[in-house]
């Protein structure tokens, strides 16, 4: 009797899907997302090409470490990737021991990495040709949001696929937006990160100016955070060391969102803007500032390190 009700069928499907999840890419974001999945009862098969990153999940109850993306994807109805670039996601899908080798037909491939909208469309095409489903699901919230399980997901693709993903995504963050067709999630993400890159540099400039002119950094932050200069960069991820605990600026700019990754996102935004003839005046300048940071030795630091760069050496 119960079997005949649509509601029962949906919940059976969700339970089945939620129990067979794999996750590939356990870096700054991925390892925290997996922590939330496992702490909320979701078993996950995990893989990362870097042994140290893979081992970050070694002590998590419910995480099974795998030797390849193929092994992780085997028997999974949901495969999630959280990788640096679109080319790496494609390689992880197509490699000799990649996702396609292991993933069962009709399964759902969810890419949470930030990549080119065009690459998302290509990955969707490859997925379709191999009889699996694909959605782009980039996230916002940074490592603090990944840690707290409060990420925002921006989805491009079939709304039914998104519905199927929701019980799993909800364990990593409750704000899930359907943006449109494949690639639309990536477009939303690039627009968001365009603002993020610009506001981070603006916050760093203002904080540096105030401090050089004698203001206390915590006082200045308190003022900005109840005034019109407030942004995520000032109130959640402040770039000045010691102003906030547990953010990269207070930990030597280690961890967090690396300078090359924000530079990548700004480059993707510029390429997207070029494709539709839209000017990105501050976006282009911001992109170049982050490129200069990489060349000046800040390539392995969190993107809030712009503050250090502006402050200058030993001042
Ligand atoms: P990261 O560099 O810390 O982690 C990426 C992980 O992928 C690394 O552990 C690396 O070893 C692994 N990897 C690389 N190639 C692989 C392969 N072929 N197979 C398996 N694993 C492989 O990056 P991150 O900061 O976690 O960011 C991941 C993605 O999320 C990026 O696209 C980034 O733009 C996006 N993002 C990052 C943040 C952030 O605050 N860090 C926020 C939102 C979105």
């Amino acid at each position: 009797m119960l079997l005949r009700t649509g509601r029962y069928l949906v919940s059976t499907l969700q339970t089945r899907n939620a129990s067979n999840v794999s996750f590939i890419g356990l870096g700054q974001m991925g390892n925290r997302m997996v922590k939330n999945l496992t702490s909320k009862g979701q078993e996950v098969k995990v893989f990362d090409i870097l042994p140290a990153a893979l081992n970050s999940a070694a002590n998590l109850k419910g995480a099974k470490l795998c030797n390849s993306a193929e092994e992780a994807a085997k028997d999974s109805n949901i495969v999630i990737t959280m990788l640096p670039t679109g080319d790496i996601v494609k390689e992880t899908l197509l490699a000799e021991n990649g996702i396609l080798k292991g993933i069962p037909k009709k399964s759902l491939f969810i890419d949470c990495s930030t990549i080119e909208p065009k690459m998302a469309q290509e990955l969707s095409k490859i997925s379709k040709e191999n009889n699996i489903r694909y959605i782009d699901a980039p996230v916002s919230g940074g490592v603090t949001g990944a840690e707290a399980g409060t990420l925002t997901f921006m989805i491009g693709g079939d709304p039914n696929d998104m519905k199927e993903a929701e019980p799993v995504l909800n364990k990593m963050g409750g704000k899930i937006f359907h943006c449109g067709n494949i690639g639309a999630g990536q477009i939303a993400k690039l627009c968001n990160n365009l603002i993020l890159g610009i506001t981070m540099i603006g916050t760093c400039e203002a904080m540096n100016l105030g401090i050089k002119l004698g203001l206390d950094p915590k006082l200045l932050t308190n003022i900005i955070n109840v005034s019109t200069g407030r942004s995520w960069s000032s109130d959640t991820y402040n770039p000045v060391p010691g102003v906030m605990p547990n953010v990269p600026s207070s930990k030597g700019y280690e961890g967090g969102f690396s300078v090359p990754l924000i530079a990548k996102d700004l480059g993707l935004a510029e390429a997207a803007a070029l494709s539709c003839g839209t000017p990105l005046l501050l976006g282009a300048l911001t992109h170049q500032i982050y490129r200069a940071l990489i060349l000046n030795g800040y390539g392995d630091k969190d993107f809030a390190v712009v503050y250090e760069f502006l402050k200058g050496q030993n001042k």
Side-chain angles (χ1 to χ4, degrees):
M1 183 73 172
L2 270 175
L3 271 173
R4 265 187 244 124
T5 72
R7 195 186 161 144
Y8 180 84
L9 284 175
V10 167
S11 82
T12 304
L13 183 71
Q14 286 177 347
T15 306
R16 196 194 72 214
N17 283 333
S19 64
N20 293 299
V21 172
S22 56
F23 199 109
I24 297 159
L26 306 182
Q28 294 300 331
M29 294 298 284
N31 86 71
R32 292 173 167 91
M33 292 163 81
V34 165
K35 249 185 232 160
N36 273 299
L37 286 173
T38 53
S39 72
K40 290 169 190 164
Q42 176 65 61
E43 290 186 358
V44 193
K45 288 198 285 171
V46 298
F47 172 67
D48 194 290
I49 206 164
L50 251 189
L54 182 60
N55 282 331
S56 70
N59 294 325
L60 298 179
K61 191 169 170 273
K64 181 176 182 293
L65 273 48
C66 296
N67 292 314
S68 66
E70 175 183 4
E71 186 188 329
K74 207 158 189 263
D75 303 324
S76 297
N77 0 49
I78 290 186
V79 175
I80 303 171
T81 45
M82 192 52 168
L83 296 163
T85 66
D87 285 336
I88 293 176
V89 179
K90 187 176 169 188
E91 183 193 315
T92 308
L93 185 65
L94 295 173
E96 187 54 44
N97 53 1
I99 295 169
L100 280 180
K101 287 278 158 54
I103 189 169
K105 299 296 169 211
K106 297 193 176 145
S107 293
L108 181 59
F109 170 26
I110 305 173
D111 181 32
C112 292
S113 327
T114 307
I115 66 169
E116 307 81 339
K118 280 213 164 85
M119 177 61 92
Q121 287 159 359
E122 191 180 336
L123 295 171
S124 169
K125 186 168 170 276
I126 297 169
S127 299
K128 236 181 223 151
E129 287 163 1
N130 286 277
N131 201 11
I132 60 170
R133 293 167 294 134
Y134 170 91
I135 55 174
D136 49 302
V139 307
S140 180
V143 290
T144 45
E147 182 87 33
T150 56
L151 291 173
T152 299
F153 287 89
M154 295 158 251
I155 313 287
D158 187 329
N160 291 323
D161 292 339
M162 175 174 125
K163 272 251 155 299
E164 187 176 322
E166 271 174 1
V168 174
L169 301 185
N170 270 325
K171 292 184 168 68
M172 301 179 279
K175 293 156 282 178
I176 304 174
F177 293 90
H178 187 254
C179 303
N181 294 333
I182 299 287
Q186 296 295 350
I187 294 170
K189 172 66 183 169
L190 294 185
C191 293
N192 180 77
N193 275 23
L194 182 59
I195 298 173
L196 175 67
I198 293 169
T199 54
M200 176 55 83
I201 292 179
T203 305
C204 290
E205 278 192 359
M207 291 299 296
N208 188 42
L209 176 65
I211 293 164
K212 294 256 169 165
L213 293 174
L215 285 184
D216 175 74
K218 286 190 179 167
L219 171 69
L220 181 54
T221 298
N222 289 342
I223 294 165
I224 290 171
N225 286 344
V226 292
S227 305
T228 44
R230 185 188 64 81
S231 72
W232 183 87
S233 300
S234 68
D235 74 3
T236 308
Y237 209 81
N238 198 282
V240 180
V243 167
M244 282 177 181
N246 300 323
V247 292
S249 62
S250 294
K251 298 188 261 185
Y253 299 95
E254 296 300 328
F257 186 31
S258 71
V259 171
L261 287 181
I262 185 74
K264 171 205 64 169
D265 291 358
L266 292 163
L268 297 183
E270 272 204 276
L274 214 59
S275 75
C276 60
T278 300
L280 291 189
L281 311 179
L282 293 183
L285 177 59
T286 303
H287 178 200
Q288 295 312 317
I289 291 171
Y290 281 112
R291 292 276 160 216
L293 278 175
I294 296 170
L295 292 178
N296 281 279
Y298 295 97
D300 60 347
K301 300 290 185 194
D302 176 78
F303 80 128
V305 80
V306 171
Y307 172 73
E308 286 284 327
F309 178 67
L310 293 172
K311 191 177 77 156
Q313 296 292 313
N314 306 319
K315 286 185 187 154

